[in-house]
Amino acid sequence: MTDPETADICLGGVPVHRHLAANAHDLASRVVDELVGRLPAYASLPPEELRTEITRIAHQTIHGFVGVLRSGELPGPEELAVIRESAARRAEEGLRLDSVISAYHLGAQVCMDSVAPRARPQDVESVLRLSRMVVAYLQRVTAAGVGGYFQERQAAFGVEHAAQQALLEALLAGAPAQEAADRAGIRLPGRFLVLSLDVGAHADERTPGVDPLIAGRRKLRRLRVELERHVRDVVLSALSVDGGTALLPVREETPGGTADEGLGAVPDGVREWAAGVLAHMTRVSGAAITAGVTVTPPDGVREGARLAAEVRKVAQAAGRPPGLYRLSDVLLEYQLTRPGPALDQLSALLAPLAGKPELLATLRAYLSGGMDRRGTAERLSIHPNTLDYRLRRVTALTGLDAARPADLARVQAALAAYDADRATRYG
């Protein structure tokens, strides 16, 4: 934008650029006062920084606008580089972008308030021209500030992310993690809540015509945002569209957060909080999520992550619905599915049912339904006589009768072992 007549913009007979230039030092001080009074982020800056750097930038920006009014030329790369550099420093200091952008507008407001009393009725055209120039200048300055801010944040994010991933890798490897935590600027908590997550597909990932990669990335972004929204401290995670591992710091004020009951024990208060977080993640992502959970000190993360993954797999193999599972939630199934000759023999009891999914499904529904004959038939949408026929077929093939008390525990154990064996063989 070029306007050779901007030097003629006068209010009350005085060129605006002349008024701003003559009062630049005073205006810069007033701008800083406004920033401190109206933007908490600037009020928290060190007084020495406000007196020197922030005041200097305000003064340079006012002079930059004076130059625009004199020449009719909007600021070029060299002038905007000052804005970009200043915004980058604010990003490095941790100021929010909205505060940085608000500072530009507050500065413009202070300058316009200083010249407004000079306006006369005959200055309407000058006021309109001045307003257009202020808007154009703010647009150019804001774009430069946003660019500088995000360039710094991207660079900082890369460094922060790498340091956090290094810490996560150290914890999962069982290596000493204090040095990695120091590099990441993270204070290790007394305990981590370890989540092993299996994330189902979002409906969009299976919709014809929709790019499943894009749909999956959108789901993953929502998962991360929702997970971090519920945790005040840094969340360490390695997540993909299918799931992964996340370490959440357990704060001492969390009910049960300081309990020490051994590996695999998750206090009720911690479980309730984690289940709430998982429910929000499920709702926001639009995907079914199954999670195994443990609580462990930093030096136990490696074993805790292994156990959380095993708990999740056991829950899934046992046909449990999506949700959060502790070791205590699947204690029997977990113990029955430990590798060894007993597991192999238990699984073999139901081998005759391989290739007969309707019989396995019927047996599973009958046991999970408390051996309620009519209720199970209703859930399976079959006649009770059909249910009886299928259960007789199971007995004929395996020699086990789930309705007989002497066989019940054996059937339940065999089913848990069979599921675990299939999960191991076929993933």
Side-chain angles (χ1 to χ4, degrees):
M1 174 179 178
T2 301
D3 185 353
E5 299 181 355
T6 53
D8 298 331
I9 297 179
C10 298
L11 297 180
V14 177
V16 173
H17 70 81
R18 187 178 300 168
H19 170 81
L20 294 178
N23 295 278
H25 287 288
D26 179 59
L27 289 172
S29 297
R30 288 164 59 186
V31 167
V32 173
D33 289 342
E34 285 294 312
L35 297 182
V36 172
R38 298 174 61 177
L39 298 176
Y42 280 85
S44 65
L45 292 177
E48 185 272 337
E49 181 178 357
L50 292 169
R51 289 194 307 270
T52 56
E53 183 178 353
I54 303 303
T55 300
R56 176 177 56 81
I57 292 297
H59 188 266
Q60 288 179 328
T61 305
I62 293 168
H63 267 293
F65 186 58
V66 167
V68 168
L69 291 176
R70 283 174 176 164
S71 67
E73 295 281 347
L74 287 174
E78 291 185 6
E79 295 88 348
L80 294 176
V82 175
I83 302 297
R84 292 179 63 88
E85 182 181 350
S86 175
R89 285 197 292 270
R90 302 295 81 76
E92 184 180 11
E93 293 166 346
L95 270 69
R96 289 168 52 99
L97 179 60
D98 55 352
S99 295
V100 176
I101 300 305
S102 294
Y104 303 152
H105 290 263
L106 276 176
Q109 180 181 325
V110 168
C111 291
M112 292 306 96
D113 287 347
S114 74
V115 300
R118 295 178 172 273
R120 301 293 182 265
Q122 60 270 27
D123 294 332
V124 172
E125 180 61 30
S126 290
V127 170
L128 293 176
R129 289 167 56 200
L130 178 61
S131 297
R132 287 196 297 270
M133 186 56 70
V134 169
V135 170
Y137 181 74
L138 280 175
Q139 185 275 329
R140 188 71 63 93
V141 167
T142 299
V146 170
Y149 185 95
F150 275 109
Q151 185 175 18
E152 171 60 29
R153 285 306 303 147
Q154 286 174 345
F157 176 78
V159 174
E160 290 171 6
H161 181 70
Q164 290 174 13
Q165 289 304 113
L167 173 57
L168 176 62
E169 290 171 7
L171 289 166
L172 291 175
Q178 188 57 58
E179 184 177 344
D182 292 341
R183 286 197 299 269
I186 295 175
R187 179 177 176 271
L188 289 174
R191 288 181 172 267
F192 280 109
L193 184 144
V194 184
L195 287 175
S196 174
L197 300 165
D198 180 84
V199 181
H202 187 279
D204 288 345
E205 295 178 76
R206 296 189 291 256
T207 301
V210 175
D211 188 331
L213 292 178
I214 294 176
R217 287 168 186 158
R218 284 171 55 83
K219 176 186 71 178
L220 178 58
R221 183 173 64 252
R222 290 170 180 168
L223 281 171
R224 286 173 172 159
V225 169
E226 191 64 19
L227 183 59
E228 294 172 358
R229 188 173 74 85
H230 291 276
V231 182
R232 281 181 283 174
D233 298 313
V234 176
V235 174
L236 301 174
S237 66
L239 300 178
S240 70
V241 295
D242 301 317
T245 302
L247 307 184
L248 285 61
V250 178
R251 302 183 70 90
E252 293 184 1
E253 63 266 28
T254 303
T258 57
D260 186 1
E261 302 175 14
L263 183 64
V266 181
D268 290 340
V270 176
R271 185 203 178 280
E272 183 178 350
W273 172 73
V277 173
L278 192 71
H280 284 289
M281 292 173 65
T282 299
R283 177 181 56 81
V284 170
S285 69
I289 305 176
T290 302
V293 59
T294 60
V295 172
T296 176
D299 60 5
V301 165
R302 179 182 182 181
E303 186 65 17
R306 180 198 61 78
L307 180 58
E310 289 182 350
V311 167
R312 173 181 58 77
K313 291 174 182 177
V314 167
Q316 291 176 302
R320 298 290 187 93
L324 186 76
Y325 294 94
R326 299 174 289 185
L327 177 60
S328 60
D329 297 323
V330 292
L331 207 53
L332 178 61
E333 294 92 336
Y334 182 87
Q335 190 59 40
L336 289 172
T337 54
R338 296 307 85 200
L343 174 68
D344 297 337
Q345 290 189 34
L346 280 171
S347 175
L349 293 176
L350 297 185
L353 302 185
K356 298 177 176 58
E358 75 285 354
L359 296 185
L360 277 169
T362 299
L363 178 61
R364 198 186 308 280
Y366 183 62
L367 293 175
S368 64
M371 296 178 293
D372 178 359
R373 177 174 171 271
R374 290 191 176 279
T376 301
E378 289 179 4
R379 285 197 302 278
L380 294 174
S381 299
I382 60 177
H383 193 277
N385 290 341
T386 302
L387 174 69
D388 293 339
Y389 168 76
R390 291 183 181 179
L391 292 175
R392 286 196 299 271
R393 288 280 295 150
V394 169
T395 300
L397 290 169
T398 65
L400 298 172
D401 184 357
R404 192 164 57 219
D407 285 352
L408 178 57
R410 198 175 180 83
V411 172
Q412 291 173 322
L415 187 58
Y418 184 88
D419 287 338
D421 183 54
R422 290 303 180 274
T424 301
R425 290 174 184 269
Y426 307 113

